[in-house]
Amino acid sequence: MTATDHYRDQIKRATERMAQLHAKELLADQRRESKAKNMARREEAKRRKRVADLVFLVGAQTLDDEELVGALLKHFASREDLEVRSNATSRGVTFLATSSATRSALTS
């Protein structure tokens, strides 16, 4: 084997190793991206379930879709007003505390 052939073989093996490493890195990146997307989907599903639970907790499931959407849109339109936002938050805190105490008493 000549020195040139020897160097060519070394270059070939090094190139193959680099290609394998590059492929491993690509697969690892794809796994990370997939994991992040799945996590985001799970978090979104949890948030949607939580919102649905809150709708049922306050009894808003009895409202027509249009009425519920209208109420939410009205709140969002006036949400910039700090007083409206503060009032809504305090009412929500009070309601959740009361309903939590009621649920605890019922389950005990």
Side-chain angles (χ1 to χ4, degrees):
M1 175 181 277
T2 65
T4 332
D5 290 338
H6 176 70
Y7 290 131
R8 284 188 183 137
D9 286 342
Q10 281 184 334
I11 291 171
K12 181 181 175 186
R13 284 193 304 271
T15 304
E16 289 171 354
R17 282 194 305 268
M18 280 182 48
Q20 288 173 347
L21 287 173
H22 185 64
K24 284 182 183 180
E25 288 174 1
L26 286 175
L27 285 173
D29 288 344
Q30 288 175 347
R31 279 190 220 106
R32 274 193 296 277
E33 289 172 7
S34 176
K35 192 174 184 178
K37 284 181 184 178
N38 287 337
M39 180 69 84
R41 262 189 243 122
R42 281 194 300 271
E43 291 301 318
E44 178 68 19
K46 283 181 189 178
R47 179 67 184 149
R48 287 176 182 261
K49 183 177 180 340
R50 178 72 179 145
V51 169
D53 289 345
L54 291 170
V55 167
F56 276 83
L57 183 65
V58 299
Q61 78 277 7
T62 60
L63 300 175
D64 293 336
D65 291 350
E66 295 81 10
E67 188 178 0
L68 181 59
V69 169
L72 289 170
L73 287 172
K74 181 179 178 184
H75 175 73
F76 271 106
S78 61
R79 191 169 185 250
E80 296 299 320
D81 183 2
L82 187 58
E83 185 178 337
V84 170
R85 197 173 189 173
S86 176
N87 186 22
T89 300
S90 64
R91 287 184 72 188
V93 167
T94 302
F95 181 83
L96 289 174
T98 305
S99 66
S100 176
T102 304
R103 280 184 281 160
S104 295
L106 291 174
T107 57
S108 297

